[in-house]
Amino acid sequence: MSAAAWLVLHDAWPMADGGWASLALRLTGVSLTVGLLGLAAFQNHWRARQLAIRAKQAELEALQARIRPHFLFNTLNTGAALVHQRPEAVEQLLLDLSDLFRAALAGPQQIPLEDELALARRYLEIEGLRFRDRLRVEWSLPRTIPDVTVPALTIQPLVENAIRHGVERLPRGGEVEITVSTAPGKVIVRISNPVPAPGDAGRQGHNVGLPAAQERVEALTAGRGSVVTQREGDRFVATVRLPTAGSPTPRE
């Protein structure tokens, strides 16, 4: 800019000898200073962003790898109780448990929704052996499961949440409903369960698995997916919205 000004105005704007050169040096110094400060700020921002991404990745890996000890212990106790009466059921139980642990230890990844629903079904089969008639499951699925990916172990924690804070706390148990539907640009998965009467002295809230599922969906869908929970009458509903291929990404 100073060079251009000198070329245009050096005759019309008299300046002492060396004045334009001094001005150019000062402007260059200011530009370099501002540029270096901007570069330092950008580097700090980039490092902070990378650290945040790494922290989120580590958090997701920790969430992905966890299977609650109480579930493992209950499953093994169930298998021990049935090993003589129903050995074939115990064999299937161990196979289902193996699939769940394999998915949990695989780390954050995207898998087809059909595979994720299969993991949830295996989990429900395991819990079905423990709760028997107290646990009833109603599946409402389309003839063809939508071709969409979902963060691994997103639906299963919500189903586990429905059992722990719904069916398990009710003397007569209850029904867990799992529904898959489609809408423009998204696939909707709803998990519904009965809730105890107000004032129940058992575990309060529906917070098991919900933060994990929310973080998985938001992190691995670039903010296009969501997990929303609400109470509808005497039932608690968790709604997962997953973007389909080609759906627009929201502007930041």
Side-chain angles (χ1 to χ4, degrees), residues 35-232:
L36 290 175
L37 290 175
L39 180 60
F42 174 78
Q43 288 181 335
N44 288 334
H45 173 73
W46 180 256
R47 288 175 183 171
R49 185 176 180 84
Q50 292 299 311
L51 288 175
I53 293 175
R54 291 175 184 173
K56 178 63 68 177
Q57 185 75 8
E59 185 178 359
L60 287 173
E61 289 177 354
L63 292 171
Q64 193 81 17
R66 92 214 187 320
I67 287 289
R68 292 181 181 82
H70 89 279
F71 167 63
L72 175 60
F73 296 150
N74 288 337
T75 301
L76 295 178
N77 287 335
T78 301
L82 296 175
V83 67
H84 296 297
Q85 302 174 6
R86 299 172 58 189
E88 71 287 349
V90 175
E91 180 181 1
Q92 186 59 49
L93 179 148
L94 294 177
L95 291 174
D96 292 339
L97 185 63
S98 174
D99 289 338
L100 285 171
F101 267 89
R102 186 179 299 109
L105 298 175
Q109 59 178 326
Q110 297 272 19
I111 65 174
L113 176 60
E114 186 173 7
D115 292 348
E116 175 65 17
L117 293 175
L119 288 175
R121 192 182 295 273
R122 287 181 174 86
Y123 169 77
L124 288 168
E125 289 174 353
I126 292 174
E127 292 290 50
L129 292 174
R130 183 161 69 99
F131 288 98
R132 299 187 180 182
D133 294 339
R134 291 181 58 208
L135 173 60
R136 298 174 294 279
V137 182
E138 177 68 26
W139 292 86
S140 181
L141 305 178
R143 181 171 300 179
T144 302
I145 301 298
D147 185 15
V148 64
T149 58
V150 58
L153 288 184
T154 297
I155 306 301
Q156 183 274 331
L158 298 178
V159 174
E160 181 178 354
N161 182 82
I163 293 178
R164 287 200 67 200
H165 292 270
V167 175
E168 187 173 350
R169 292 169 59 184
L170 296 170
R172 296 184 178 180
E175 183 177 78
V176 175
E177 299 177 357
I178 303 174
T179 304
V180 177
S181 59
T182 59
K186 59 188 174 183
V187 175
I188 302 172
V189 183
R190 283 169 51 98
I191 299 94
S192 170
N193 64 273
V195 292
D200 184 274
R203 290 182 295 270
Q204 300 297 317
H206 274 74
N207 58 355
V208 176
L210 298 181
Q214 181 67 47
E215 291 183 8
R216 293 177 204 270
V217 170
E218 290 186 353
L220 297 180
T221 62
R224 295 184 297 162
S226 66
V227 177
V228 179
T229 61
Q230 61 184 354
R231 181 160 178 165
E232 298 180 358

Side-chain angles (χ1 to χ4, degrees), residues 23-34:
L23 177 62
L25 289 175
R26 291 178 183 178
L27 292 176
T28 301
V30 171
S31 299
L32 288 174
T33 301
V34 172

